[in-house]
């Protein structure tokens, strides 16, 4: 019959886990006799010298080994008496993860914004200065007032009067000095600093009336039965060429008009305008 282990002695802290891990000697050691060293169990590594702790990292996992306590749990440091330390603190995210967390959403927003801008510009083609490329054609609604509406149109469409974007200059005065037929300026928030200099997309055989009064683009198509008057000039386009050199356009009632189209590549348009009625060109 063996003697049960004594309780915690006074002055020693209570162990909430009992005496787990503390080896119990199989038999009391008789007085005047040196205690025998326990024989290490088989398949366990020999321990170090006196005063050294057992090397728990070399012990097999599984059930407790008599004389050595319970093997340590992975991720916890061995503590005498069997009480584990708190788990290690979680690792902070690396700088790369932080950068990716911030940069990736910004890149996505920029890509979405670029797609939206492209779609809006495509839908807005011909309605703003920036969306009207040089050499392209636009149609102008109510060009006789201060406020006009424009829209892109195919230059081959001859069903209505259209205009070719001949140049983009700094002011309307610059367009007039370059002898363009008219100009369009944007106003308001986000308006372009450039001005559209326009050339009428004249068609040979058609007649046009240029008013001497009013504001804006005072040009319109009319029947060739109309005649010039004191306040307007009616003329017929007898010829159109893709050059500034207009042949067979001489005489008091004829006048050659030529325009530069500053597209890429650059080109030119020339017409021969014959005045209708009892008038001559100045």
């Amino acid at each position: 019959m063996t003697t049960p282990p004594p309780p915690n002695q006074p002055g020693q802290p209570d162990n909430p886990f009992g005496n787990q891990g503390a080896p119990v000697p199989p038999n009391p050691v008789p007085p005047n006799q040196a205690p025998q060293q326990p024989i290490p169990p088989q398949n366990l590594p020999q321990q170090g010298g006196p005063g050294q702790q057992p090397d728990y990292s070399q012990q097999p996992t599984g059930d407790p080994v008599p004389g050595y306590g319970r093997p340590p749990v992975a991720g916890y440091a061995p503590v005498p008496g069997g009480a584990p330390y708190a788990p290690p603190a979680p690792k902070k995210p690396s700088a790369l993860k932080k950068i990716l967390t911030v940069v990736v959403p910004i890149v996505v927003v920029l890509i979405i914004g670029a797609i939206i801008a492209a779609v809006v510009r495509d839908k807005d083609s011909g309605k703003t200065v920036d969306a009207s490329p040089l050499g392209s054609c636009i149609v102008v609604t109510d060009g006789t007032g201060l406020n006009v509406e424009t829209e892109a149109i195919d230059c081959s469409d001859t069903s209505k009067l259209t205009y070719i974007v001949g140049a983009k200059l700094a002011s309307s005065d610059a367009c007039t000095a370059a002898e363009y037929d008219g100009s369009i300026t944007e106003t308001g928030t986000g308006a372009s600093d450039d001005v559209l200099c326009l050339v009428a997309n004249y068609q040979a055989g058609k007649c046009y009336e240029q008013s001497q009064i009013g504001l804006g683009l005072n040009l319109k198509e009319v029947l060739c039965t109309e005649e010039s008057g004191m306040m307007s000039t009616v003329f017929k386009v007898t010829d159109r060429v893709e050059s500034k050199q207009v042949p067979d356009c001489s005489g008091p009632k004829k006048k050659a008009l030529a325009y530069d189209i500053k597209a890429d590549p650059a080109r030119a348009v020339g017409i021969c305008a014959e005045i209708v009625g009892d008038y001559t060109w100045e």
Side-chain angles (χ1 to χ4, degrees):
M1 180 174 181
T2 58
T3 304
N8 292 332
Q9 298 297 322
Q12 294 183 350
D14 291 336
N15 184 358
F17 297 97
N19 289 320
Q20 296 180 13
V24 179
N27 294 300
V29 180
N32 301 327
Q33 182 177 346
Q36 295 182 357
Q37 297 293 331
I39 299 175
Q42 294 182 359
N43 300 326
L44 292 177
Q46 297 293 334
Q47 304 302 313
Q52 295 186 1
Q53 295 293 333
D55 187 0
Y56 287 98
S57 63
Q58 302 296 327
Q59 296 181 19
T61 60
D63 296 333
V65 179
Y68 283 83
R70 184 175 297 279
V73 180
Y76 294 85
V79 179
Y85 283 124
K91 294 182 179 180
K92 295 182 178 180
S94 63
L96 178 60
K97 290 183 180 179
K98 290 182 179 179
I99 292 174
L100 290 178
T101 301
V102 176
V103 173
V104 171
I106 294 177
V107 173
V108 172
V109 170
L110 291 177
I111 293 175
I112 295 175
I115 294 174
I116 294 175
V119 172
V120 171
R121 173 160 292 190
D122 183 66
K123 291 182 178 179
D124 196 35
S125 179
K127 293 186 178 181
T128 64
V129 170
D130 291 337
S132 303
L134 292 171
S136 65
C137 289
I138 60 174
V139 61
V140 180
T141 303
D142 190 17
T144 59
L146 290 175
N147 297 320
V148 299
E149 293 290 336
T150 62
E151 187 176 351
I153 191 172
D154 196 294
C155 291
S156 62
D157 189 342
T158 60
S159 61
K160 60 187 72 176
L161 177 61
T162 61
Y163 289 88
I164 305 170
V165 180
K168 293 183 181 183
L169 301 180
S171 65
S172 296
D173 291 340
C175 294
T176 302
E179 298 184 347
Y180 287 99
D181 286 331
S183 61
I184 291 180
T185 304
E186 280 185 343
T187 59
T189 305
S192 175
D193 293 332
D194 294 328
V195 174
L196 289 183
C197 302
L198 303 179
V199 178
N201 191 16
Y202 296 110
Q203 303 297 317
K206 288 189 175 184
C207 291
Y208 302 87
E209 181 182 36
Q210 178 72 57
S211 176
Q212 307 300 325
I213 59 174
L215 300 173
L217 300 170
N218 300 316
L219 182 70
K220 63 180 180 179
E221 289 187 22
V222 295
L223 297 175
C224 290
T225 55
E226 298 287 335
E227 294 186 358
S228 300
M230 294 294 297
M231 298 299 176
S232 63
T233 302
V234 177
F235 59 92
K236 181 179 181 179
V237 175
T238 60
D239 195 11
R240 170 176 166 162
V241 295
E242 297 297 310
S243 171
K244 296 185 75 172
Q245 304 298 323
V246 183
D248 301 328
C249 193
S250 58
K253 296 181 71 71
K254 291 185 177 181
K255 182 178 181 180
L257 303 175
Y259 309 91
D260 286 315
I261 309 299
K262 297 183 178 181
D264 186 17
R267 59 189 181 91
V269 172
I271 66 168
C272 181
E274 181 180 13
I275 198 167
V276 179
D278 296 331
Y279 294 90
T280 58
W281 292 107
E282 294 182 357

